[in-house]
Amino acid sequence: MDQLPSTLCCPKCNTQLVPRSHNELHGVCSGTCTTCGHRIRFRAVVNEMERELQPNPVCSVTLLVNGRQYRVPDVDLEVTLNDWLKEQPNLKGTKHMCQEGGCGACIVALTRYDIRQKKEVTKAINSCLFPLVAADGCSVTTTEGIGSSRSGFHQIQERLAEHNGSQCGFCSPGMVMNMYSLLKANSKPTKKQIEESFDGNICRCTGYRAILDAMKSFAVDENPIDIEDTPLRQCNGDCRMCSHSSCCQEGVALNGMKADAPTIVRCLGGSSGMTRFKPSSVEDALALLDKYKDTGVHIVSGDTGKGVFKYEKPAAVVVDITGISDLTAVSSDGKVLTVGSAVSLSVLIAELEKYQQQDMPQGSRLTKLALHLKKIANVAVRNVGTWAGNLMLTHIHANFPSDVFTIMQAAGAQLNIANSSGSKRFSLPDFLHVDMTGQIIVSIVIPFDEPNEHFLTFKVMPRHSNAHAYVNAGFRLVTTTSSSKTVGKTVAIVYGGIGPFAIKATKTEQYLVGKYLSSHDTLKGALSVLSSELHPDSPPAAASAAYRKSLALSLFYKFYLSVLGSTASQRLWSAPSSLYRVVSSGAQQYSSDPSKYPLTQPMPKIAAKLQASGEAVYVNDMPIFPNEVHGAFITSTQANAKLVSMDTSAALSMPGVLCCIGAGDIPAGGVNNWRCLKYETGQLPEPLFATDFVGYAGQSLGMVIADTQAHADAAARAVTATYSPQGKPIVSIQDAIAANSFYPDTVKPLISGEGDPNDALKASKHVVSGEISSGYQYHFHMETQRCLTVPTDCGLDVYSSTQWMDYCQESVAQVLGVKKSSVNVTVKRIGGGFGGKIINSHFFAAGTSLAAYKLNRPVRVVANLDTNTQVVGVRPAFLARYQVGCDDSGKLNAIVMTVYCDVGVTNDEFFGDKFQSFIDNAYYCPHWKVTTHPCKTHTPTATACRAPGAAPAIFIMESIMEHVAKSLGKSAEDVRIINLYQEGQVTPYKQPLTYCSISSLWSQLVKSCDYHVRREAVEAFNKANRWKKKGLSVVPLKFGIGWSGAPFSCIVSVFAGDGSVMVTTGGIEMGQGLVTKVVQVASSTLHVDIDLINTRPSNVLTAPNNSTTGGSVGSELCCAAVLSACRQLLEQMEPGRQQLPADATWQQVVVKCFGMGIDLQAKSWVDRSCTNVFNYNSYGVTCTEVILDVLTGEHQIIRTDMLYDCGESINPEVDVGQAEGAFVFGLGYWLSEHFIRDASTGQLLTKNTWEYKPPSAHDIPMDFRVSLLKNAPNPLGILRSKGGRDKRMNGLMDRDRGTDGQTRQTDGLMD
């Protein structure tokens, strides 16, 4: 050893340490601090002067998970923390869905040493983006680590469950760990801080209200806890019985020290040749950049950019700068704030907010920057992602809309960039032209406010959080004096989202210098100049160029008015400000009858706590089987084309790949058609693998089988195909109409009323004509399509995430040419379905089972989000052309309508009949004619999605009511109320309404929500404000429930000895509370405690030939089956009960019956039909108030009041949660979820969380009130209840549609 540092500093206790021996110290070494016991890793340098950069590599990673130490040898540098966690026994609680940092299902708590703060800090991170190698020396906490059914649940898990905040449960572990991480960092957060921290967690089931209520119960003004009093539990608190002596203590970072030289980790596995360095100084980093500049170097800190650009080839050399203390520094000289490039966005926000807390006037620009930065990505991404990384993304990718770049350029910030020759300062525009090879961003310099400065930024995006901008902008202007409206020499106008990079409106800036802002001519001239220099591009997935240009002009106008302030007209004062979101609240009202408990008892889902703790098992949580492999589907990239050839050679040469499977591997007797002939006789087949003609982009061409899912996915992307296009793809209804591309009409026109509806239309005093369309909607179930198939000596065991076991069994048997009885399908629970797993799931099951059959080994397929959205269908789009006849009051006389539906490449799932059954909604019209046409397009076959056919039909009907009202100069509510159904009237499909509560519900809700008072307030607000408008609407709903063709069965077993009960049904638990209601019914009928009842997974052996769990009937029909079986069981047990005293216990009766040889099991089959279309109707009314920014189209839902009739609810808490979830599901359909396909290839462009935006927790009503109609038993329902879990998604049909400013004129803008 030539030279060794004389001392080391312990990063935990700061003790100066000396190695006990220098003998044979070389490379990376480790030791233990003699003061505090902290584990320290360091590198001994052979020659300090030469600082050799190529020592022996470290090939392993050491980390703590829930207090237990793991050493991972030969780590693959591309493996994420989430990938690794899922492979570990007893660590299945952490989920994944998008693998982009966009859903929050994968969130865990990461504790590591912060070299800037010189202490350990805990942050929520997306484990799907975080490399396993980056967790070296860190402590990771997952939901299993904070509580379980065996060791006791953590309060976060308990409160989430008790507030009914876990439905399907797939998002619950991420929710729990997000809250846990927040409490570790801030034990006394406010309600607002809590709500803001949930900007990156998606829940598709609950509607968020229950989740937010649960988490806000930890707020400082509610019921906070001391997170330190809730230690990790692995051994139930008794460490004497545990081999892991520290498992009941919070895990601490293992390797946080500042090293003297780079630490190197070389991948020995799947990414051969990759090297990862972690230098401790800028000089070391630059030396590495110079050394490997010809190889390709990627500088990382948070490495979150791969969530957007996830398929980029990784660099051969990665330099991790998180260990460089100089790059984590933040300093200020009172004039500028200098921030190091390794500072995360979260830390930057906190530093900027300090100036607001210190009430420093010169910090106003900084606090506005902080506010904007909170709109970038989400908390978990901002916790590790850096501002410099954000800038580098836009430097590398011209199409990346960097908010950091836009607002920092407007703020006049500059960058310090270093290379081996020294450091230089660059403006942000100049930075875009700097060759960053061999260079590193060191810091950003942000100036404080100038005197008389006005600074404002904007971001307009598809939803209120975790979305990139349509347009972002930053404006800065200095006036000559504090009271003057004359512009000085400083003007900055910067836009993002207009072109490939952010642009500076230099001509407008120059025009404004010296101008007097209070002059109307100045504004008019500025808008004219600005319009002339804005030339938006037209990326295929972006909002239209016209909208973005209009939006850019509007944002400038808002800034202009902000500078004018009170000197502008009072009607304009509200224009400059963005819509402010208050902390949300909710209220739930319902009745229950304690004398009937557990029926009518409001109670959380039985499995809710298991879901929150990660103990609830989904398909991909099942243990890994011996010899198991993974599969991924090869998908096409061209629609409407012949498949010329396919090259799999690149895929087969990739690490871990075993083989490729195609149509030629289907065994003799099987067929290349996964759609069941049994259920769809006369319909078109759909191949499992396309062999000649490719109907749509995303259609499956084959499968790749590999040792891991990641390897299978990567190999599937490596397969290339050549196509011979057969013409331009038809990808929309409009395309189909233009090309006359239709399937034969399979649904007869709906015609009702005496005489010809067209004659009635002509006889009407007023005829209103129009066209309205609804779009597509992806289900966005948090658990993507998944299947595990295991060959056995009896056939195949298929574990599928499906809503329909029988169809799954039939599909697999049909493709393989085997008996159905050899295919055993089991479903325990699924992570959300919404109709997307009624049919779509069987494609995945058939492919997985074919691979397992061919290889004779277990095969698991977990569809990634891209595959999940492209391969199978979604809610179809509808277009209606209508003519409506009415009188002066708006009373309907006749409706004639032609409807088009995009059914895709086959007509197997055309919802024309369902559309016709719901088109009337809640309104009586004596004459109807509705004709439906299925459009043939080059898109995946349409499929059911929450309220299939019904949601678009009701939307179209409500749009018609709006149109009629507008044409007559009346309010929509006035027209609606005079057309509401009355009891005894007959629907267009000839069903008499023997019970109809819609008028009563309307009256009750209008009164309870103070509609008339609020209407006056809305009108007054709109009169006083030109550019902010409020809207208030009341929308009714009739939703039919039909049982025909939906058989379900169940088995109820009683066990002698303890009298416990086991129940299994053919229904699938997907979050709707089916299992909970089934247990309540069994408990009530048998008169036993709920704790005595257990349930088992659904299975085709115990529930053969059962229907799909869908159509809003699964829960009640399974309850009917259980009710019948329990009654049958009681009859069987009656002879035994008769021989015992009247006060005999249940257990005594069971023992007696067993002794008498009485069968303690009963099976029930329920198959109820109906002479009408529906067995009964559910009714509801919703009142919603919104505020709209007319200049931008942004909105906030101020308040929603919902009242609906669900009969006598078996479980009101579950039914309220279903109503809230359905409503928010509808918000996405109407407001933020959009499908865009490439016109030339047919490829789906909105296939991931970057482009597809379901509602977030910040999109729900700020005041969300749900009431169940009291004292309204349903004599036609099961136990007086009603189904209809999907009906309330239509509660926002009548929303005030704001202008985006495209027709705005410049005259009068200052009035």
PDB file of all heavy atoms in Angstrom, residues 1220-1243:
ATOM      1  N   GLU A1220     -69.003   6.419  -5.543  1.00  0.00           N
ATOM      2  CA  GLU A1220     -67.930   7.416  -5.691  1.00  0.00           C
ATOM      3  C   GLU A1220     -66.946   6.999  -6.771  1.00  0.00           C
ATOM      4  O   GLU A1220     -66.524   7.825  -7.598  1.00  0.00           O
ATOM      5  CB  GLU A1220     -67.211   7.593  -4.354  1.00  0.00           C
ATOM      6  CG  GLU A1220     -68.068   8.237  -3.279  1.00  0.00           C
ATOM      7  CD  GLU A1220     -67.398   8.240  -1.908  1.00  0.00           C
ATOM      8  OE1 GLU A1220     -66.556   7.354  -1.659  1.00  0.00           O
ATOM      9  OE2 GLU A1220     -67.731   9.120  -1.103  1.00  0.00           O
ATOM     10  N   GLY A1221     -66.573   5.727  -6.776  1.00  0.00           N
ATOM     11  CA  GLY A1221     -65.627   5.247  -7.771  1.00  0.00           C
ATOM     12  C   GLY A1221     -66.170   5.349  -9.177  1.00  0.00           C
ATOM     13  O   GLY A1221     -65.449   5.722 -10.109  1.00  0.00           O
ATOM     14  N   ALA A1222     -67.448   5.001  -9.345  1.00  0.00           N
ATOM     15  CA  ALA A1222     -68.053   5.074 -10.677  1.00  0.00           C
ATOM     16  C   ALA A1222     -68.112   6.515 -11.164  1.00  0.00           C
ATOM     17  O   ALA A1222     -67.886   6.795 -12.350  1.00  0.00           O
ATOM     18  CB  ALA A1222     -69.453   4.468 -10.645  1.00  0.00           C
ATOM     19  N   PHE A1223     -68.419   7.440 -10.263  1.00  0.00           N
ATOM     20  CA  PHE A1223     -68.496   8.854 -10.649  1.00  0.00           C
ATOM     21  C   PHE A1223     -67.138   9.340 -11.153  1.00  0.00           C
ATOM     22  O   PHE A1223     -67.041   9.985 -12.202  1.00  0.00           O
ATOM     23  CB  PHE A1223     -68.942   9.693  -9.451  1.00  0.00           C
ATOM     24  CG  PHE A1223     -69.058  11.168  -9.757  1.00  0.00           C
ATOM     25  CD1 PHE A1223     -70.224  11.686 -10.276  1.00  0.00           C
ATOM     26  CD2 PHE A1223     -68.007  12.030  -9.517  1.00  0.00           C
ATOM     27  CE1 PHE A1223     -70.332  13.042 -10.576  1.00  0.00           C
ATOM     28  CE2 PHE A1223     -68.089  13.382  -9.803  1.00  0.00           C
ATOM     29  CZ  PHE A1223     -69.274  13.890 -10.329  1.00  0.00           C
ATOM     30  N   VAL A1224     -66.082   9.025 -10.433  1.00  0.00           N
ATOM     31  CA  VAL A1224     -64.752   9.489 -10.825  1.00  0.00           C
ATOM     32  C   VAL A1224     -64.281   8.763 -12.082  1.00  0.00           C
ATOM     33  O   VAL A1224     -63.576   9.339 -12.923  1.00  0.00           O
ATOM     34  CB  VAL A1224     -63.761   9.326  -9.657  1.00  0.00           C
ATOM     35  CG1 VAL A1224     -62.342   9.671 -10.087  1.00  0.00           C
ATOM     36  CG2 VAL A1224     -64.188  10.211  -8.491  1.00  0.00           C
ATOM     37  N   PHE A1225     -64.676   7.509 -12.251  1.00  0.00           N
ATOM     38  CA  PHE A1225     -64.401   6.795 -13.496  1.00  0.00           C
ATOM     39  C   PHE A1225     -65.007   7.576 -14.664  1.00  0.00           C
ATOM     40  O   PHE A1225     -64.386   7.739 -15.718  1.00  0.00           O
ATOM     41  CB  PHE A1225     -65.015   5.395 -13.426  1.00  0.00           C
ATOM     42  CG  PHE A1225     -64.430   4.387 -14.379  1.00  0.00           C
ATOM     43  CD1 PHE A1225     -63.497   3.469 -13.944  1.00  0.00           C
ATOM     44  CD2 PHE A1225     -64.835   4.336 -15.705  1.00  0.00           C
ATOM     45  CE1 PHE A1225     -62.956   2.520 -14.812  1.00  0.00           C
ATOM     46  CE2 PHE A1225     -64.312   3.398 -16.582  1.00  0.00           C
ATOM     47  CZ  PHE A1225     -63.367   2.486 -16.136  1.00  0.00           C
ATOM     48  N   GLY A1226     -66.221   8.088 -14.454  1.00  0.00           N
ATOM     49  CA  GLY A1226     -66.870   8.897 -15.477  1.00  0.00           C
ATOM     50  C   GLY A1226     -66.160  10.209 -15.734  1.00  0.00           C
ATOM     51  O   GLY A1226     -66.108  10.688 -16.864  1.00  0.00           O
ATOM     52  N   LEU A1227     -65.598  10.802 -14.686  1.00  0.00           N
ATOM     53  CA  LEU A1227     -64.832  12.045 -14.881  1.00  0.00           C
ATOM     54  C   LEU A1227     -63.721  11.832 -15.903  1.00  0.00           C
ATOM     55  O   LEU A1227     -63.459  12.689 -16.754  1.00  0.00           O
ATOM     56  CB  LEU A1227     -64.222  12.512 -13.561  1.00  0.00           C
ATOM     57  CG  LEU A1227     -65.153  12.992 -12.449  1.00  0.00           C
ATOM     58  CD1 LEU A1227     -64.330  13.536 -11.298  1.00  0.00           C
ATOM     59  CD2 LEU A1227     -66.123  14.032 -12.952  1.00  0.00           C
ATOM     60  N   GLY A1228     -63.041  10.696 -15.787  1.00  0.00           N
ATOM     61  CA  GLY A1228     -61.983  10.420 -16.748  1.00  0.00           C
ATOM     62  C   GLY A1228     -62.522  10.286 -18.156  1.00  0.00           C
ATOM     63  O   GLY A1228     -61.940  10.820 -19.113  1.00  0.00           O
ATOM     64  N   TYR A1229     -63.638   9.571 -18.294  1.00  0.00           N
ATOM     65  CA  TYR A1229     -64.231   9.353 -19.614  1.00  0.00           C
ATOM     66  C   TYR A1229     -64.591  10.678 -20.284  1.00  0.00           C
ATOM     67  O   TYR A1229     -64.322  10.897 -21.458  1.00  0.00           O
ATOM     68  CB  TYR A1229     -65.468   8.474 -19.452  1.00  0.00           C
ATOM     69  CG  TYR A1229     -66.130   8.031 -20.735  1.00  0.00           C
ATOM     70  CD1 TYR A1229     -65.417   7.864 -21.914  1.00  0.00           C
ATOM     71  CD2 TYR A1229     -67.492   7.741 -20.743  1.00  0.00           C
ATOM     72  CE1 TYR A1229     -66.036   7.429 -23.076  1.00  0.00           C
ATOM     73  CE2 TYR A1229     -68.121   7.309 -21.902  1.00  0.00           C
ATOM     74  CZ  TYR A1229     -67.392   7.153 -23.062  1.00  0.00           C
ATOM     75  OH  TYR A1229     -68.023   6.727 -24.208  1.00  0.00           O
ATOM     76  N   TRP A1230     -65.186  11.577 -19.521  1.00  0.00           N
ATOM     77  CA  TRP A1230     -65.660  12.824 -20.120  1.00  0.00           C
ATOM     78  C   TRP A1230     -64.583  13.905 -20.210  1.00  0.00           C
ATOM     79  O   TRP A1230     -64.675  14.787 -21.060  1.00  0.00           O
ATOM     80  CB  TRP A1230     -66.849  13.383 -19.319  1.00  0.00           C
ATOM     81  CG  TRP A1230     -67.911  12.381 -18.999  1.00  0.00           C
ATOM     82  CD1 TRP A1230     -68.398  12.058 -17.764  1.00  0.00           C
ATOM     83  CD2 TRP A1230     -68.630  11.542 -19.913  1.00  0.00           C
ATOM     84  NE1 TRP A1230     -69.350  11.070 -17.853  1.00  0.00           N
ATOM     85  CE2 TRP A1230     -69.512  10.738 -19.167  1.00  0.00           C
ATOM     86  CE3 TRP A1230     -68.590  11.397 -21.302  1.00  0.00           C
ATOM     87  CZ2 TRP A1230     -70.358   9.810 -19.751  1.00  0.00           C
ATOM     88  CZ3 TRP A1230     -69.439  10.456 -21.892  1.00  0.00           C
ATOM     89  CH2 TRP A1230     -70.295   9.683 -21.115  1.00  0.00           C
ATOM     90  N   LEU A1231     -63.587  13.859 -19.343  1.00  0.00           N
ATOM     91  CA  LEU A1231     -62.718  15.031 -19.219  1.00  0.00           C
ATOM     92  C   LEU A1231     -61.246  14.823 -19.568  1.00  0.00           C
ATOM     93  O   LEU A1231     -60.615  15.735 -20.104  1.00  0.00           O
ATOM     94  CB  LEU A1231     -62.816  15.586 -17.791  1.00  0.00           C
ATOM     95  CG  LEU A1231     -64.194  16.071 -17.345  1.00  0.00           C
ATOM     96  CD1 LEU A1231     -64.143  16.520 -15.890  1.00  0.00           C
ATOM     97  CD2 LEU A1231     -64.684  17.195 -18.230  1.00  0.00           C
ATOM     98  N   SER A1232     -60.661  13.687 -19.242  1.00  0.00           N
ATOM     99  CA  SER A1232     -59.192  13.622 -19.344  1.00  0.00           C
ATOM    100  C   SER A1232     -58.638  12.434 -20.110  1.00  0.00           C
ATOM    101  O   SER A1232     -57.445  12.429 -20.430  1.00  0.00           O
ATOM    102  CB  SER A1232     -58.571  13.624 -17.936  1.00  0.00           C
ATOM    103  OG  SER A1232     -58.941  12.453 -17.226  1.00  0.00           O
ATOM    104  N   GLU A1233     -59.438  11.425 -20.410  1.00  0.00           N
ATOM    105  CA  GLU A1233     -58.919  10.218 -21.052  1.00  0.00           C
ATOM    106  C   GLU A1233     -59.202  10.265 -22.550  1.00  0.00           C
ATOM    107  O   GLU A1233     -60.352  10.339 -22.966  1.00  0.00           O
ATOM    108  CB  GLU A1233     -59.534   8.976 -20.416  1.00  0.00           C
ATOM    109  CG  GLU A1233     -59.209   8.856 -18.925  1.00  0.00           C
ATOM    110  CD  GLU A1233     -59.891   7.672 -18.272  1.00  0.00           C
ATOM    111  OE1 GLU A1233     -59.917   6.590 -18.893  1.00  0.00           O
ATOM    112  OE2 GLU A1233     -60.404   7.821 -17.147  1.00  0.00           O
ATOM    113  N   HIS A1234     -58.143  10.207 -23.336  1.00  0.00           N
ATOM    114  CA  HIS A1234     -58.281  10.347 -24.781  1.00  0.00           C
ATOM    115  C   HIS A1234     -57.454   9.291 -25.497  1.00  0.00           C
ATOM    116  O   HIS A1234     -56.324   8.997 -25.104  1.00  0.00           O
ATOM    117  CB  HIS A1234     -57.841  11.738 -25.233  1.00  0.00           C
ATOM    118  CG  HIS A1234     -58.515  12.856 -24.500  1.00  0.00           C
ATOM    119  ND1 HIS A1234     -59.851  13.150 -24.667  1.00  0.00           N
ATOM    120  CD2 HIS A1234     -58.057  13.722 -23.572  1.00  0.00           C
ATOM    121  CE1 HIS A1234     -60.180  14.173 -23.884  1.00  0.00           C
ATOM    122  NE2 HIS A1234     -59.104  14.524 -23.207  1.00  0.00           N
ATOM    123  N   PHE A1235     -58.020   8.721 -26.570  1.00  0.00           N
ATOM    124  CA  PHE A1235     -57.334   7.739 -27.404  1.00  0.00           C
ATOM    125  C   PHE A1235     -56.928   8.402 -28.708  1.00  0.00           C
ATOM    126  O   PHE A1235     -57.759   9.018 -29.386  1.00  0.00           O
ATOM    127  CB  PHE A1235     -58.273   6.568 -27.700  1.00  0.00           C
ATOM    128  CG  PHE A1235     -57.930   5.317 -26.968  1.00  0.00           C
ATOM    129  CD1 PHE A1235     -57.767   5.312 -25.594  1.00  0.00           C
ATOM    130  CD2 PHE A1235     -57.744   4.128 -27.651  1.00  0.00           C
ATOM    131  CE1 PHE A1235     -57.450   4.155 -24.915  1.00  0.00           C
ATOM    132  CE2 PHE A1235     -57.424   2.964 -26.971  1.00  0.00           C
ATOM    133  CZ  PHE A1235     -57.276   2.977 -25.607  1.00  0.00           C
ATOM    134  N   ILE A1236     -55.666   8.277 -29.066  1.00  0.00           N
ATOM    135  CA  ILE A1236     -55.175   8.832 -30.321  1.00  0.00           C
ATOM    136  C   ILE A1236     -54.374   7.748 -31.036  1.00  0.00           C
ATOM    137  O   ILE A1236     -53.489   7.126 -30.450  1.00  0.00           O
ATOM    138  CB  ILE A1236     -54.285  10.066 -30.080  1.00  0.00           C
ATOM    139  CG1 ILE A1236     -55.065  11.144 -29.317  1.00  0.00           C
ATOM    140  CG2 ILE A1236     -53.786  10.630 -31.412  1.00  0.00           C
ATOM    141  CD1 ILE A1236     -54.217  12.328 -28.910  1.00  0.00           C
ATOM    142  N   ARG A1237     -54.707   7.532 -32.304  1.00  0.00           N
ATOM    143  CA  ARG A1237     -53.989   6.554 -33.114  1.00  0.00           C
ATOM    144  C   ARG A1237     -53.282   7.250 -34.274  1.00  0.00           C
ATOM    145  O   ARG A1237     -53.750   8.260 -34.786  1.00  0.00           O
ATOM    146  CB  ARG A1237     -54.943   5.479 -33.657  1.00  0.00           C
ATOM    147  CG  ARG A1237     -55.521   4.589 -32.574  1.00  0.00           C
ATOM    148  CD  ARG A1237     -56.302   3.422 -33.156  1.00  0.00           C
ATOM    149  NE  ARG A1237     -56.858   2.596 -32.098  1.00  0.00           N
ATOM    150  CZ  ARG A1237     -56.191   1.631 -31.483  1.00  0.00           C
ATOM    151  NH1 ARG A1237     -54.954   1.347 -31.858  1.00  0.00           N
ATOM    152  NH2 ARG A1237     -56.758   0.928 -30.512  1.00  0.00           N
ATOM    153  N   ASP A1238     -52.170   6.682 -34.680  1.00  0.00           N
ATOM    154  CA  ASP A1238     -51.456   7.197 -35.839  1.00  0.00           C
ATOM    155  C   ASP A1238     -52.271   6.879 -37.091  1.00  0.00           C
ATOM    156  O   ASP A1238     -52.658   5.731 -37.320  1.00  0.00           O
ATOM    157  CB  ASP A1238     -50.071   6.556 -35.925  1.00  0.00           C
ATOM    158  CG  ASP A1238     -49.246   7.121 -37.049  1.00  0.00           C
ATOM    159  OD1 ASP A1238     -49.391   6.619 -38.184  1.00  0.00           O
ATOM    160  OD2 ASP A1238     -48.475   8.072 -36.817  1.00  0.00           O
ATOM    161  N   ALA A1239     -52.526   7.893 -37.883  1.00  0.00           N
ATOM    162  CA  ALA A1239     -53.415   7.726 -39.029  1.00  0.00           C
ATOM    163  C   ALA A1239     -52.839   6.803 -40.094  1.00  0.00           C
ATOM    164  O   ALA A1239     -53.588   6.155 -40.824  1.00  0.00           O
ATOM    165  CB  ALA A1239     -53.732   9.088 -39.639  1.00  0.00           C
ATOM    166  N   SER A1240     -51.520   6.718 -40.209  1.00  0.00           N
ATOM    167  CA  SER A1240     -50.915   5.916 -41.275  1.00  0.00           C
ATOM    168  C   SER A1240     -50.641   4.476 -40.877  1.00  0.00           C
ATOM    169  O   SER A1240     -50.740   3.563 -41.697  1.00  0.00           O
ATOM    170  CB  SER A1240     -49.611   6.567 -41.752  1.00  0.00           C
ATOM    171  OG  SER A1240     -48.686   6.673 -40.669  1.00  0.00           O
ATOM    172  N   THR A1241     -50.313   4.244 -39.608  1.00  0.00           N
ATOM    173  CA  THR A1241     -49.998   2.881 -39.163  1.00  0.00           C
ATOM    174  C   THR A1241     -51.086   2.273 -38.291  1.00  0.00           C
ATOM    175  O   THR A1241     -51.137   1.058 -38.132  1.00  0.00           O
ATOM    176  CB  THR A1241     -48.679   2.858 -38.367  1.00  0.00           C
ATOM    177  OG1 THR A1241     -48.854   3.596 -37.142  1.00  0.00           O
ATOM    178  CG2 THR A1241     -47.548   3.468 -39.174  1.00  0.00           C
ATOM    179  N   GLY A1242     -51.918   3.111 -37.697  1.00  0.00           N
ATOM    180  CA  GLY A1242     -52.926   2.617 -36.767  1.00  0.00           C
ATOM    181  C   GLY A1242     -52.403   2.381 -35.374  1.00  0.00           C
ATOM    182  O   GLY A1242     -53.146   1.919 -34.494  1.00  0.00           O
ATOM    183  N   GLN A1243     -51.122   2.698 -35.123  1.00  0.00           N
ATOM    184  CA  GLN A1243     -50.554   2.463 -33.797  1.00  0.00           C
ATOM    185  C   GLN A1243     -51.194   3.384 -32.765  1.00  0.00           C
ATOM    186  O   GLN A1243     -51.467   4.558 -33.035  1.00  0.00           O
ATOM    187  CB  GLN A1243     -49.043   2.691 -33.824  1.00  0.00           C
ATOM    188  CG  GLN A1243     -48.273   1.633 -34.573  1.00  0.00           C
ATOM    189  CD  GLN A1243     -46.775   1.775 -34.376  1.00  0.00           C
ATOM    190  OE1 GLN A1243     -46.277   1.709 -33.249  1.00  0.00           O
ATOM    191  NE2 GLN A1243     -46.052   1.965 -35.462  1.00  0.00           N
TER     192      GLN A1243
END
